[in-house]
Amino acid sequence: VVLTFFAPEARAVQVAGTFNGWRPEANSLEHTESGEWTIRLMLKSGQYEYRFVVDGEWSDDPQATQSATNPNGGLNSVFKVGLEDKTDLL
């Protein structure tokens, strides 16, 4: 799964979700010259909820097509990894 977040002025972008125990420090995105931040995650099939953390502030994923309410009264972004999803890495 590849996640991207456009934030050219950001100093750090991380992602936290059900796949990493909601620990932003576990998955930092890499900054590209175009101002986009990106990360490639290798995950088992299933449904995952997540949010981005931009310079310490929790943020929605504007590209997410699905969401779920969270216990804090906000929304988490959602993506699904199917058995048919394959990677061309390695």
Side-chain angles (χ1 to χ4, degrees):
V1 174
V2 176
L3 297 176
T4 59
F5 191 86
F6 185 74
E9 303 300 320
R11 290 175 280 121
V13 178
Q14 301 163 307
V15 64
T18 52
F19 50 86
N20 67 5
W22 292 100
R23 294 176 301 119
E25 68 278 2
N27 295 104
S28 294
L29 283 73
E30 292 184 20
H31 190 249
T32 67
E33 291 182 20
S34 66
E36 195 169 67
W37 294 77
T38 184
I39 189 169
R40 183 180 301 264
L41 301 169
M42 303 296 284
L43 301 170
K44 295 180 181 180
S45 62
Q47 179 171 299
Y48 299 92
E49 295 184 23
Y50 68 100
R51 296 198 73 200
F52 288 111
V53 181
V54 182
D55 293 336
E57 297 290 325
W58 292 80
S59 179
D60 297 332
D61 181 354
Q63 298 181 64
T65 58
Q66 297 181 356
S67 61
T69 56
N70 65 35
N72 301 318
L75 293 174
N76 294 335
S77 300
V78 175
F79 66 82
K80 294 179 183 176
V81 178
L83 289 174
E84 67 282 352
D85 293 331
K86 297 179 182 176
T87 180
D88 57 3
L89 286 180
L90 305 175

